[in-house]
Amino acid sequence: MPSRGKFIVLEGGEGSGKSTQAALLTAVLDAVLTREPGGTAVGAQLREVLLGRGTTGLSDRTEALLMAADRAQHVAEVVEPALAAGRHVVCDRYLGSSVAYQGHGRGLDPDEVRGLSLWATAGLLPDLVVLLTVPAEVSARRTGGARDRIEDAGTAFHQRVADGFAVQAAADPDRWVVVDGTGTKDQVAEEVLAAVRDRLGLDV
Ligand code: TYD
């Protein structure tokens, strides 16, 4: 039996460089790269409902349940089988995004939102969460004009999301590492690799 792979999650707000860094880290680790919402065929349909500008009137609890449903399918179909087969998995957003966006952002109880995702995933937590932080101005500049339904939610919402990520990182410092995302792509990548080396003992 291969030894179990490591589950590494990149979290952060819009324009934090998460997706770029997830791709770079995946190449170095020869990992499986995936993302939420939308990492499976069922998830792609849920993603359209969740983020499509055509969706109107979605209640906060429905949004939280659909994010959790996407995660349940994703863990069952992609993440857990890959880890069990000994592959490392790099995931662009996971449970921390639900706690930050649906909990702190939308105003649902963050512990309940977390509990919902833990139920959905049969308790699967990442081995490491890298939180990329950038000031709101940098985020706005990087994301430019095109916005999805959630990106459209306004400045106060996104400030609560950022606070929600910071609270989670502070509450679980063994699992979370905060990396300043304002540097160059290569500088940030080096910091991400350093975290993977130090926290997980991987030879990268
Ligand atoms: P995405 O297009 O993947 O862009 P990015 O990750 O680069 O911002 O957008 C995913 C959106 O879904 C983003 O606005 C955050 C939101 N989201 C939640 O609200 N809750 C969640 O649990 C997840 C995984 C994502």
Side-chain angles (χ1 to χ4, degrees):
M1 273 243 300
S3 63
R4 191 173 164 83
K6 297 292 186 192
F7 183 23
I8 302 166
V9 170
L10 279 281
E11 294 280 15
E14 337 286 333
S16 61
K18 217 169 24 52
S19 307
T20 305
Q21 294 300 329
L24 291 172
L25 180 61
T26 298
V28 173
L29 293 176
D30 188 24
V32 173
L33 174 62
T34 188
R35 69 163 180 181
E36 293 187 354
T40 62
V42 165
Q45 296 187 54
L46 294 172
R47 182 182 171 94
E48 184 49 36
V49 174
L50 278 160
L51 303 183
R53 300 292 295 270
T55 300
T56 51
L58 199 65
S59 85
D60 293 345
R61 284 171 190 269
T62 308
E63 184 177 285
L65 284 163
L66 292 178
M67 289 291 182
D70 170 76
R71 186 159 299 126
Q73 186 65 29
H74 186 224
V75 166
E77 193 178 318
V78 176
V79 180
E80 186 54 43
L83 294 172
R87 300 292 305 276
H88 301 313
V89 174
V90 174
C91 189
D92 186 345
R93 298 192 181 281
Y94 190 62
L95 179 158
S97 279
S98 283
V99 172
Y101 284 80
Q102 283 65 55
H104 296 264
R106 296 291 191 213
L108 297 172
D109 181 327
D111 289 335
E112 288 183 2
V113 172
R114 180 181 156 84
L116 181 65
S117 271
L118 285 175
W119 181 82
T121 62
L124 180 70
L125 285 173
D127 296 294
L128 177 67
V129 185
V130 178
L131 173 62
L132 292 180
T133 58
V134 290
E137 317 82 76
V138 176
S139 159
R141 181 157 27 86
R142 285 183 181 171
T143 48
R147 289 172 173 279
D148 64 38
R149 197 182 61 81
I150 291 179
E151 281 166 351
D152 238 3
T155 313
F157 174 86
H158 288 285
Q159 187 54 54
R160 291 197 298 278
V161 168
D163 294 345
F165 278 127
V167 166
Q168 293 180 76
D172 192 1
D174 290 340
R175 197 183 314 274
W176 287 64
V177 58
V178 182
V179 169
D180 178 356
T182 49
T184 66
K185 195 169 80 170
D186 290 347
Q187 283 167 342
V188 177
E190 188 40 55
E191 280 200 55
V192 172
L193 281 183
V196 167
R197 226 178 272 130
D198 297 349
R199 300 296 187 93
L200 300 179
L202 294 181
D203 187 16
V204 288

